[in-house]
Amino acid sequence: GFVSISGRLEMYRVAIEMIKENPFFGVGPGRYQKEVTKRIEAGTADRAIGIYQYPHNDYLTVASCCGIPGLVIFCLTAYLLPLHTVYRFSGKDLKKPLLWAGFILISGYMLFSISNATLFKNIRLHYYYLMLAAIAVSMKSAEQEEKI
């Protein structure tokens, strides 16, 4: 559904409050909406955001539910490890187009994660890892062909 700018900013504000209150463990996986409901009932959050299950920002979703350590693990496994893997599979050759395809895919998801739940919808998550796998396999195949 449609989320206005003010709605997103309110979700971000509430998620940041949750992170400040629970920096190490978060409020618990899947508990964002329950916490929002508590805040709405207490009068500290706008009712308009009560229908959303996450704050439309992957980073804030992870940090509010799993704490800062969870956010670090998420960034490492979802973005930095794939970036490193694509770089290594390219033979560290910055001239290879598949290396740039991998960088663009990963960077795109990193950016889109700021304003939407990019990796928390199953189809998007599957597409992301399927494309990463396709790039990695293509890079390995190209490497094998170069050796022949």
Side-chain angles (χ1 to χ4, degrees), residues 5-123:
I5 296 294
S6 62
R8 283 182 193 267
L9 292 176
E10 177 67 358
M11 285 187 278
Y12 296 170
R13 183 189 68 76
V14 171
I16 291 168
E17 280 181 11
M18 289 179 201
I19 296 163
K20 286 179 181 177
E21 293 167 9
N22 304 283
F24 297 108
F25 301 110
V27 296
R31 295 200 40 85
Y32 171 83
Q33 191 174 29
K34 289 178 181 149
E35 288 295 319
V36 167
T37 301
K38 284 183 193 176
R39 291 162 196 272
I40 289 170
E41 290 169 357
T44 60
D46 190 312
R47 289 199 169 287
I49 68 168
I51 61 171
Y52 299 103
Q53 296 175 3
Y54 46 83
H56 285 74
N57 176 310
D58 285 340
Y59 306 108
L60 292 177
T61 298
V62 173
S64 64
C65 293
C66 302
I68 301 300
L71 178 62
V72 170
I73 292 167
F74 169 74
C75 289
L76 286 172
T77 58
Y79 300 124
L80 297 178
L81 181 60
L83 276 171
H84 178 72
T85 302
V86 167
Y87 180 65
R88 289 211 40 217
F89 273 30
S90 73
K92 302 178 182 179
D93 182 355
L94 296 177
K95 295 177 185 168
K96 293 194 175 179
L98 283 171
L99 169 68
W100 291 104
F103 280 169
I104 290 167
L105 175 71
I106 296 164
S107 300
Y109 269 81
M110 289 173 77
L111 288 172
F112 298 144
S113 289
I114 294 170
S115 65
N116 212 333
T118 306
L119 292 178
F120 290 98
K121 299 279 187 171
N122 281 342
I123 191 69

Side-chain angles (χ1 to χ4, degrees), residues 89 105 127-139:
F89 273 30
L105 175 71
Y127 176 78
Y128 177 67
Y129 284 111
L130 180 65
M131 292 305 297
L132 282 174
I135 290 168
V137 167
S138 297
M139 292 174 106

